[in-house]
Amino acid sequence: MTSQVSSPAEQADKAVAGEQRKAAGAKDVRRLDRVIIRFAGDSGDGMQLTGDRFTSETASFGNDLSTLPNFPAEIRAPAGTLPGVSSFQLHFADHDILTPGDAPNVLVAMNPAALKANIGDLPRGAEIIVNTDEFTKRAMQKVGYETSPLEDGSLDGYQVHPVPLTTLTVEALKDFDLTRKEAERSKNMFALGLLSWMYHRPTEGTEKFLRTKFARKPDIAEANIAAFRAGWNFGETTEDFAVSYEVAPAAKAFPPGVYRNISGNLALAYGLIAASQQADLPLFLGSYPITPASDILHELSKHKNFGVRTFQAEDEIAGIGAALGAAFGGSLAVTTTSGPGVALKSETIGLAVSLELPLLIVDIQRGGPSTGLPTKTEQADLLQAMYGRNGEAPVPIVAPRTPADCFDAALEAARIALTYRTPVFLLSDGYLANGSEPWRIPELDELPDLRVRFAQGPNHTLDDGTEVFWPYKRDPQTLARPWAIPGTPGLEHRIGGIEKQDGTGNISYDPANHDFMVRTRQAKVDGIEVPDLEVDDPHEAKLLVLGWGSTYGPITAAVRRLRNAGESVAQAHLRHVNPFPRNLGEVLRRYDKVVIPEMNLGQLATLIRAKYLVDAHSYNQVNGMPFKAEQLATALKEAIDG
């Protein structure tokens, strides 16, 4: 869904409309600058769909936003249990924001498990909308409630709104030819309607979405729409909700343009398509489904009209093998996976290093080791991407910092792969993949030119004057070898994993040649042109916070809090982790103290210490969740004072 950011005139019209409502005796409307809402329930309650629809309408309204979907790894965890709780958190505001928020202002709890799993994150005074129909004795005992939290006073510190969501939904749908169980499934739409009323969200988009989603079942579509409208009307008429809230569009936070809400995986898929178009190459994806990377395969499979070919392989090894074959054949080749899949792909990545062919390895990181935490986020594959192959097999690494930035990171990874003829790691993670934010759709003339020239004929003259094709004769600027399409007359050449002779590509076991080839492949990666590291340091701070990947949002939010409190702190964020920006060493030496927050046990800090001999301090978290801004701000304040 695309939308223009609201103009000041449109915002004024909305303000006038609000005043007119008040004059007509409508309920009180309060202005807020930001809100954090969390929908929580069973994994079968549709919380992800509910959150996604609320997010889409919020994006169309023009707010800045950031989301955090959080769902269980089990396909269907036991109903009503703590491990089965699924939640969706949305932070939206009238100004620029960076994270999904530390603590919800509003919790929608569909059952006792949802309440118990999330109550610890709520600040005192937060609003709780609770589905009282689910608070049966058996359901409460299942999660350890000896008495009802709705009656024992344990929620006295919160604004509790008891709403029989299930009963109200069934009553609203009594005229539809549905069983009670079928009608109950629409209670998430009732909740969505209620929250849409509370925060003045648009409704047209959701109704259109439901009619499209259930186009083959129009009765179900209309039932969901009826439940959605019933929720809206309930908010408008009930005495329990005396106040609704307005959060104005964040017009000043966005440059002019057309925006849409986008998740990291969707942005990454679009970035890959854009890269193939800008390179004038067909896009080939060889992939095996794995959480949280599967969405990229699903999305790319929809775009055959752009020359995209997707291959769902029988395993991870076959997926990357097919992708490398496509690269040999002249395609922009991609394989997508997560940490366990990278382990299986490692030998073929080494082969791609040896063959010196462009290949994008997209790793959507998740909690490990082994199967680990499939639906939780982590940044713990950095050293695997850096060193997880036999022999000296250097691979460039690019890391996006926000969901929308995944689009640009995909283009940058493609630029490096195509220019330098090398496999490239693109390290996203579950937080970026599933989270979303507004994205300005770029103009075509803003995209880079990624076109490459394939080898067309002989490129070397022998001593006897014979013109021949040498597959490993290098470009003096990039050290890239020529890319010769199979079947081109005169360009026949040998490939394989055994070491090659410099220039000719013939099999070679010569020690001196192997030493030369190893050093050349390393020099090629070391010589990749990447932008200098930009440092945000308005007050000549003594402390530098250095991050990479998805920690950008929490770090930036924490730095803002500290500066607003009068502290002096500098910030820099790495997109290119291999090779590092050329000025990184000089930047690090300017500061008395360097702190590196990571969702691992200090992998970037290890690389920084080893390469630059800087006593970088780690601040680490590996609980499957992104950092909270307040948590980071506290840790950085201690580092400043220490």
Side-chain angles (χ1 to χ4, degrees):
M1 183 173 189
T2 59
S3 62
Q4 289 272 352
V5 173
S6 299
S7 68
E10 290 170 329
Q11 294 177 45
D13 289 342
K14 291 171 183 173
V16 170
E19 295 300 326
Q20 291 173 342
R21 283 196 302 271
K22 292 179 183 178
K27 293 183 178 182
D28 186 28
V29 179
R30 295 179 187 172
R31 295 284 181 87
L32 301 174
D33 63 345
R34 67 187 187 96
V35 175
I36 303 168
I37 298 174
R38 183 181 296 176
F39 298 92
D42 265 334
S43 56
D45 282 339
M47 294 296 94
Q48 302 304 319
L49 175 63
T50 305
D52 183 67
R53 289 314 314 159
F54 195 95
T55 299
S56 293
E57 299 298 356
T58 296
S60 70
F61 188 73
N63 295 119
D64 195 11
L65 61 90
S66 180
T67 69
L68 178 62
N70 186 15
F71 38 87
E74 294 84 355
I75 294 174
R76 175 66 76 175
T81 64
L82 293 174
V85 173
S86 174
S87 67
F88 188 105
Q89 183 163 307
L90 165 68
H91 182 191
F92 62 101
D94 65 2
H95 57 277
D96 174 35
I97 58 173
L98 298 153
T99 74
D102 288 357
N105 308 115
V106 181
L107 171 67
V108 179
M110 303 297 280
N111 60 18
L115 178 65
K116 187 160 191 177
N118 292 281
I119 190 67
D121 293 336
L122 268 63
R124 307 300 273 182
E127 291 191 78
I128 303 174
I129 299 172
V130 59
N131 181 14
T132 55
D133 287 328
E134 295 297 323
F135 278 70
T136 63
K137 184 176 181 179
R138 184 169 181 271
M140 289 187 289
Q141 289 178 341
K142 191 180 291 188
V143 295
Y145 281 128
E146 297 298 327
T147 60
S148 172
L150 306 181
E151 300 171 357
D152 63 9
S154 60
L155 301 179
D156 286 351
Y158 306 95
Q159 300 179 54
V160 180
H161 302 279
V163 180
L165 286 172
T166 306
T167 299
L168 290 171
T169 303
V170 172
E171 176 65 21
L173 303 184
K174 63 182 180 181
D175 294 334
F176 289 83
D177 187 20
L178 300 173
T179 66
R180 179 179 176 85
K181 187 173 183 180
E182 289 172 334
E184 287 178 359
R185 290 176 184 160
S186 295
K187 63 181 180 289
N188 63 324
M189 288 296 104
F190 189 101
L192 178 59
L194 173 57
L195 268 293
S196 297
W197 170 83
M198 281 183 66
Y199 292 97
H200 298 259
R201 299 297 90 185
T203 60
E204 297 83 0
T206 293
E207 294 190 9
K208 181 179 178 181
F209 167 82
L210 290 170
R211 288 193 173 97
T212 301
K213 180 177 177 64
F214 298 106
R216 296 183 179 180
K217 298 179 179 179
D219 291 346
I220 299 297
E222 293 306 316
N224 277 285
I225 291 170
F228 176 66
R229 291 175 177 173
W232 176 284
N233 293 332
F234 177 78
E236 184 71 31
T237 58
T238 183
E239 294 299 319
D240 194 39
F241 292 91
V243 178
S244 64
Y245 305 92
E246 282 188 350
V247 181
K252 294 181 180 179
F254 302 113
V258 178
Y259 286 78
R260 61 157 293 159
N261 181 52
I262 201 165
S263 68
N265 273 353
L266 183 57
L268 206 156
Y270 286 177
L272 294 173
I273 295 171
S276 75
Q277 293 294 301
Q278 293 302 105
D280 197 21
L281 296 174
L283 178 65
F284 181 91
L285 174 68
S287 182
Y288 180 76
I290 184 172
T291 302
S294 300
D295 289 342
I296 303 171
L297 169 62
H298 300 159
E299 182 61 34
L300 289 179
S301 68
K302 303 174 184 176
H303 296 285
K304 295 178 182 178
N305 56 313
F306 284 112
V308 178
R309 180 170 295 175
T310 53
F311 169 58
Q312 181 175 320
E314 66 270 24
D315 55 43
E316 296 280 6
I317 298 171
I320 190 172
L324 185 56
F328 179 58
S331 293
L332 176 60
V334 185
T335 189
T336 53
T337 189
S338 191
V342 174
L344 291 166
K345 295 178 188 290
S346 61
E347 184 179 5
T348 307
I349 298 171
L351 176 59
V353 171
S354 176
L355 297 181
E356 301 188 46
L357 287 170
L359 174 67
L360 302 186
I361 305 110
V362 178
D363 178 4
I364 313 297
Q365 300 167 94
R366 72 190 204 189
S370 188
T371 308
L373 304 173
T375 61
K376 309 300 180 184
T377 194
E378 207 163 272
Q379 285 183 299
D381 294 350
L382 177 56
L383 293 183
Q384 178 179 224
M386 193 83 175
Y387 300 119
R389 295 162 294 284
N390 63 296
E392 296 287 346
V395 174
I397 301 171
V398 177
R401 64 185 189 179
T402 69
D405 187 49
C406 289
F407 178 87
D408 295 317
L411 285 162
E412 175 63 1
R415 177 192 72 86
I416 293 173
L418 295 171
T419 303
Y420 296 90
R421 310 285 198 272
T422 177
V424 177
F425 261 102
L426 182 56
L427 284 186
S428 179
D429 61 42
Y431 171 38
L432 296 183
N434 297 315
S436 61
E437 65 177 353
W439 171 59
R440 186 180 70 85
I441 301 172
E443 300 294 335
L444 285 177
D445 59 9
E446 296 174 349
L447 301 179
D449 184 351
L450 301 179
R451 288 173 293 182
V452 297
R453 292 187 62 185
F454 294 113
Q456 299 297 323
N459 62 356
H460 184 75
T461 304
L462 300 176
D463 292 340
D464 63 3
T466 304
E467 292 187 341
V468 297
F469 174 68
W470 274 15
Y472 282 83
K473 185 168 185 175
R474 302 182 181 278
D475 181 296
Q477 297 298 319
T478 64
L479 298 183
R481 77 173 187 91
W483 195 359
I485 300 299
T488 306
L491 303 190
E492 297 84 359
H493 59 283
R494 184 181 292 109
I495 65 168
I498 296 177
E499 186 61 280
K500 297 142 190 73
Q501 185 180 56
D502 176 44
T504 68
N506 295 330
I507 291 174
S508 173
Y509 296 101
D510 177 61
N513 177 76
H514 177 59
D515 183 275
F516 178 80
M517 294 293 279
V518 167
R519 294 179 186 274
T520 299
R521 289 188 289 262
Q522 183 65 58
K524 180 170 68 170
V525 172
D526 292 341
I528 291 172
E529 289 289 337
V530 303
D532 279 350
L533 181 66
E534 295 182 0
V535 183
D536 177 18
D537 184 4
H539 303 113
E540 297 185 356
K542 295 183 178 180
L543 172 71
L544 172 70
V545 188
L546 181 67
W548 71 279
S550 68
T551 56
Y552 172 78
I555 289 174
T556 306
V559 167
R560 284 183 181 178
R561 294 188 185 199
L562 290 171
R563 289 178 180 171
N564 290 337
E567 301 291 344
S568 182
V569 57
Q571 178 189 0
H573 208 79
L574 291 168
R575 163 175 279 182
H576 298 90
V577 187
N578 191 34
F580 286 130
R582 284 171 173 73
N583 68 331
L584 177 56
E586 182 271 326
V587 167
L588 294 170
R589 287 187 286 272
R590 292 207 305 256
Y591 295 91
D592 294 345
K593 190 176 292 186
V594 178
V595 175
I596 304 179
E598 298 181 79
M599 292 188 293
N600 57 47
L601 294 183
Q603 297 187 16
L604 176 62
T606 297
L607 295 174
I608 293 293
R609 293 189 194 109
K611 185 172 179 65
Y612 298 105
L613 303 181
V614 171
D615 185 21
H617 299 266
S618 285
Y619 183 74
N620 308 116
Q621 174 176 294
V622 282
N623 62 3
M625 298 294 288
F627 284 111
K628 294 182 177 179
E630 185 62 31
Q631 164 197 2
L632 272 181
T634 300
L636 295 177
K637 181 66 168 65
E638 292 174 355
I640 292 172
D641 296 338

